[in-house]
Amino acid sequence: MWVRPLARRLLPKLQDDPLCRLVSQEKRDSPLAGVRVLDLTRIIAGPYCSMILGDLGAEVIKIEEVRGGDEARKWGAPVPSAPGLTCYFSAVNRNKKSVCVNFKTPQGQELLHDLARESDVLIENYTPGVLDRYRLGYDQIREIAPRVVYCSVTGYGSRGPYKNKPGYDVIAASLGGLLHITGPEDGAPCKVGVPVTDMMTGLYAHGAILAALLHRQKTGQGQKVECDLLSTQLSSLINVASNYLNAGMHAKRWGTAHVDVVPYEVFETKDGHLTLGTGSDKQFARLCELMELREMVEDERFKTNADRVANRKVLIPALKERLRTKTTASWLEIFRDAPFPHAPVNTIQQVFDDPHVREIGIVEEVESANGGRLKVVGPAVQYSAASNQVRSPPPLLGQHTHQVLQSVLRLTDQQIQALRDGAHIR
């Protein structure tokens, strides 16, 4: 329907290499430079995945509905210095271009088909079957763009009795056992303070997409990749799942304590809280020395970790009593060169004031589309010979519709205006 990009027509050999695009010199150090991602995801899991790909240099075209866009645009506090953005949306949508397309119309669907032909990856997080109704399911996309890696992020996958249920982080965490093992020992189940199941699914998806791109580079074939919240949650139970499946051990809530390692939890100090643990007998001995509890080192009840696990109800109260005698700062000074892990329980303000956090420069400031300033937590991974970075701020709704349709599909201003007049785009 639309004219293909000039580079594709003049340089057909580029298509022989699925990861090859015409890219500017300054972007060639980005691992995914030249990879185009068509992103039909909303909320957290999918956008978290596509943000990681964008950090690595992929061109991420975020497709949003013409009425309102990504639901996360309405969540949380607005960014005072960047009108039009919320803090929640901004946390997972940098390095993307926002394009508003009404894919409920045939014209909108054709636009997305054309963009799929010019993309390497398509990511979506709709309930299974929904996009099929709009000619955007895997089977339809495979027919028109067989080299595309098509990643579906769902709540429960495409099989099983729950496959048509919508996916939500806390529901998957509840069904998958995380809430059962999280919270005070004698208290109610608790959710984690951030949507970890969503984020872990996004991380799984990003790795799966990279593996599928590598497979395509070897075989020339695209494929469908499926990631779902429940499977991610189950895989993340690690030792708790293994304890049950192999030893018949039923899990319970331990607060901040560890089921298999003692001591390993949060302790109250004179003015706050401190987390510490000992993963070996030598570490435990050093802890006792620094806390002036040397008699515990020779106590047969605490000789090994197995002994300490069995006698935690004796050991932990004694440690708690001693730790409450000094301030957090005092204990941190005493433990400064200790071989065992320890840290204060920081507030979020204390986190970003921490000298180490400041030194590594993980917080970055970018200029938003309307000229305001916006702070984001940058990528967590560093490369010695590649770029993984914040390149552009989270987009305003529909900010790049005209630009993308013009540069990727080579539409004219008149064609774009006609699509806009027909409510096929925004």
Side-chain angles (χ1 to χ4, degrees):
M1 178 180 179
W2 310 110
V3 179
R4 301 288 160 242
L6 185 62
R8 288 299 181 88
R9 290 190 282 114
L10 295 182
L11 300 173
K13 290 185 178 180
L14 285 177
Q15 294 177 303
D16 295 337
D17 184 352
L19 297 184
C20 185
R21 288 276 195 279
L22 290 176
V23 294
S24 59
Q25 180 65 44
E26 64 269 17
K27 293 183 178 179
R28 288 180 185 169
D29 64 342
S30 300
L32 296 185
V35 173
R36 180 173 291 136
V37 177
L38 192 59
D39 180 12
L40 278 71
T41 66
R42 311 93 66 214
I43 313 300
I44 295 298
Y48 193 69
C49 168
S50 58
M51 180 182 72
I52 297 171
L53 299 176
D55 288 349
L56 291 170
E59 178 189 11
V60 180
I61 300 174
K62 183 178 178 69
I63 303 299
E64 301 193 68
E65 295 184 0
V66 293
R67 295 184 179 180
D70 188 331
E71 293 94 318
R73 288 187 178 276
K74 306 176 184 67
W75 291 4
V79 180
S81 60
L85 295 174
T86 63
C87 294
Y88 208 111
F89 177 85
S90 299
V92 293
N93 283 289
R94 62 171 176 262
N95 292 339
K96 301 178 186 181
K97 300 174 180 178
S98 174
V99 174
C100 287
V101 177
N102 184 358
F103 57 76
K104 296 180 180 180
T105 71
Q107 293 89 337
Q109 293 161 19
E110 287 296 325
L111 278 176
L112 293 182
H113 285 178
D114 288 336
L115 286 171
R117 290 186 182 97
E118 304 302 334
S119 299
D120 299 285
V121 179
L122 187 154
I123 315 175
E124 58 88 11
N125 65 345
Y126 287 83
T127 302
V130 169
L131 290 185
D132 293 293
R133 299 199 295 265
Y134 303 112
R135 300 190 296 147
L136 296 169
Y138 173 63
D139 289 336
Q140 295 117 324
I141 295 298
R142 181 176 57 179
E143 288 296 317
I144 63 172
R147 294 166 70 88
V148 162
V149 171
Y150 188 109
C151 180
S152 289
V153 179
T154 61
Y156 305 97
S158 60
R159 298 177 298 162
Y162 302 154
K163 65 181 182 181
N164 292 323
K165 291 180 177 290
Y168 295 92
D169 171 87
V170 71
I171 303 302
S174 180
L175 188 63
L178 181 60
L179 267 65
H180 176 69
I181 59 174
T182 304
E185 184 175 2
D186 299 318
C190 291
K191 68 183 289 293
V192 181
V194 293
V196 292
T197 307
D198 271 344
M199 293 188 295
M200 288 188 296
T201 304
L203 286 167
Y204 257 127
H206 121 268
I209 288 168
L210 295 183
L213 286 173
L214 180 59
H215 179 267
R216 188 185 73 174
Q217 195 171 31
K218 296 176 180 178
T219 67
Q221 298 176 347
Q223 62 180 296
K224 185 178 185 181
V225 175
E226 295 189 47
C227 301
D228 69 86
L229 300 182
L230 182 59
S231 296
T232 294
Q233 182 55 68
L234 296 175
S235 72
S236 303
L237 289 175
I238 54 169
N239 62 301
V240 172
S242 185
N243 285 345
Y244 170 73
L245 294 172
N246 298 294
M249 294 174 58
H250 291 272
K252 54 172 282 187
R253 288 183 289 284
W254 286 98
T256 62
H258 198 293
V259 61
D260 295 318
V261 181
V262 175
Y264 197 105
E265 60 185 89
V266 172
F267 292 89
E268 186 179 355
T269 66
K270 191 173 184 178
D271 64 346
H273 293 86
L274 181 69
T275 305
L276 60 84
T278 59
S280 69
D281 298 336
K282 287 184 178 180
Q283 288 183 352
F284 178 71
R286 184 57 177 153
L287 171 68
C288 293
E289 291 172 4
L290 292 174
M291 293 181 64
E292 298 181 354
L293 294 171
R294 292 178 179 82
E295 66 277 8
M296 285 188 171
V297 178
E298 302 303 324
D299 195 315
E300 293 297 325
R301 295 173 297 176
F302 312 134
K303 278 287 187 181
T304 68
N305 181 68
D307 295 328
R308 294 189 290 275
V309 170
N311 294 288
R312 72 166 74 219
K313 290 187 177 180
V314 178
L315 174 61
I316 296 302
L319 296 179
K320 286 183 175 180
E321 182 179 1
R322 179 58 59 91
L323 286 163
R324 281 195 291 261
T325 64
K326 298 180 185 295
T327 65
T328 299
S330 296
W331 284 119
L332 289 174
E333 180 61 26
I334 292 170
F335 297 153
R336 182 175 54 179
D337 298 319
F340 51 83
H342 59 279
V345 178
N346 282 338
T347 65
I348 302 303
Q349 178 179 343
Q350 289 170 329
V351 168
F352 291 110
D353 285 341
D354 185 278
H356 182 86
V357 174
R358 288 182 174 275
E359 176 68 22
I360 63 177
I362 196 169
V363 176
E364 300 185 44
E365 189 172 280
V366 292
E367 184 174 336
S368 67
N370 49 33
R373 304 300 295 178
L374 178 73
K375 291 181 180 179
V376 297
V377 178
V381 178
Q382 301 295 317
Y383 294 80
S384 65
S387 175
N388 185 27
Q389 65 186 39
V390 179
R391 295 173 178 81
S392 61
L396 299 176
L397 182 61
Q399 178 183 339
H400 303 95
T401 301
H402 192 286
Q403 173 194 331
V404 167
L405 297 185
Q406 190 174 67
S407 63
V408 178
L409 299 185
R410 294 294 191 263
L411 300 189
T412 65
D413 292 341
Q414 291 78 12
Q415 288 174 312
I416 295 172
Q417 187 58 49
L419 287 167
R420 186 170 281 114
D421 291 342
H424 306 301
I425 63 172
R426 172 177 171 176

